[in-house]
Amino acid sequence: MAISTACFLQLSFLPGVEAQEKKPAAARAAKSAIQKPAAVKPEAKPAAVVPSSYEVAKGDTLFRIAGKTRHQGVTLNQMVLGIYWANPDAFLEGNINQLLVGRTLTIPGRDAVAALEPAEATRQLRVLVAKPLAPVPPPPPPPAPVAPEPTPPKPQPEQPPKPAARSQSSLTTQQAAERFQEGQKLEQGGDMRAAMQAYLAAGEAGLGIAQKRLGDIYNTGNAVVARDYEIALRWYQKARAQGIEIPKPITKPGMKY
């Protein structure tokens, strides 16, 4: 029994057994000697560039604009008040709830915005937001329509005096014939006004051919005389009474020659 115990103790102190017991400790020491790499800190993002001005568009609100232009390190309420105090004319009667469309806002710098403490900014903002809305002025009336310039009336041909029912001319038959020939020359030369005066003088003197010519002129009208069926019919009747043949009757509806 004594021999067995001695053998156990001797085996326990053999070099191989002692090396096996020391191996885990050496491994742990080697592992701890390996240094872990230092943690890499993320690079700080550059501060966003805040514009110095902003044009108010339809649908914009002061809070939305403040959110777009807010500086780093300030609250939204601070930014809202900073913009409001920097642009008093951009609000209807100074009401913070009524921002005017189309105004160009000046965006204050960070130091000016941060000068007011966040708690004080919140307090002032509550007071301003609670202010009742200012009455919106009615839109201006539309401009009065410009009346078009009146169109000048078209010049009407001057009406020569209508012949009397009974002519009392002082011309003789020879003089009436001469006036008729004079009227023909004037008409050929383009002077219809003087030609009409000559025809009238000859027709009122009882010259049949002049009376027929007057009937023809009034039946069609020209630059001097407007078309007049009644006067034309009167001259045709006088010419027919003088024995002048009238080849074609007047064609006005409802009027018989």
Side-chain angles (χ1 to χ4, degrees):
M1 189 66 178
I3 296 173
S4 300
T5 303
C7 291
F8 176 78
L9 292 174
Q10 186 179 2
L11 289 173
S12 300
F13 291 100
L14 290 175
V17 174
E18 185 178 0
Q20 290 179 0
E21 290 179 354
K22 292 181 179 181
K23 186 177 181 181
R28 286 195 299 270
K31 185 180 290 187
S32 61
I34 300 175
Q35 295 182 353
K36 295 182 179 179
V40 179
K41 295 182 179 180
E43 296 181 0
K45 294 182 179 180
V49 179
V50 176
S52 60
S53 63
Y54 184 95
E55 184 176 354
V56 182
K58 188 175 181 180
D60 274 336
T61 64
L62 180 56
F63 281 86
R64 182 180 299 175
I65 297 172
K68 292 180 180 179
T69 60
R70 181 167 54 156
H71 300 287
Q72 287 187 353
V74 299
T75 65
L76 180 63
N77 290 347
Q78 284 177 299
M79 196 67 200
V80 168
L81 278 181
I83 297 175
Y84 173 73
W85 291 122
N87 303 274
D89 296 336
F91 301 86
L92 181 63
E93 297 187 8
N95 194 309
I96 197 171
N97 302 299
Q98 293 171 284
L99 180 61
L100 299 175
V101 176
R103 297 299 177 93
T104 300
L105 302 177
T106 299
I107 306 300
R110 185 188 181 284
D111 294 340
V113 175
L116 188 64
E117 293 295 328
E120 179 62 17
T122 301
R123 187 192 68 79
Q124 291 188 19
L125 187 59
R126 287 176 180 173
V127 175
L128 291 171
V129 171
K131 185 178 179 181
L133 298 179
V136 179
V146 179
E149 296 183 1
T151 304
K154 295 181 179 180
Q156 298 292 334
E158 295 183 7
Q159 298 287 344
K162 294 184 180 181
R166 295 179 181 179
S167 61
Q168 296 179 355
S169 175
S170 59
L171 296 179
T172 64
T173 304
Q174 181 65 29
Q175 291 173 335
E178 292 175 356
R179 288 290 285 159
F180 175 73
Q181 293 175 357
E182 182 181 351
Q184 287 181 316
K185 293 179 181 180
L186 291 169
E187 185 177 2
Q188 292 174 358
D191 191 353
M192 287 301 303
R193 187 178 302 279
M196 281 296 298
Q197 293 176 354
Y199 288 150
L200 285 171
E204 291 174 353
L207 188 64
I209 54 176
Q211 293 170 342
K212 179 182 181 299
R213 181 67 189 129
L214 287 169
D216 293 339
I217 292 174
Y218 278 104
N219 187 39
T220 58
N222 57 23
V224 178
V225 175
R227 193 175 192 181
D228 193 323
Y229 288 108
E230 294 181 1
I231 298 177
L233 179 60
R234 190 182 307 164
W235 282 117
Y236 280 142
Q237 289 174 341
K238 288 183 177 184
R240 188 175 184 182
Q242 298 294 330
I244 303 298
E245 183 180 358
I246 307 300
K248 188 191 301 183
I250 295 177
T251 58
K252 181 181 178 182
M255 179 177 290
K256 296 181 179 180
Y257 174 69

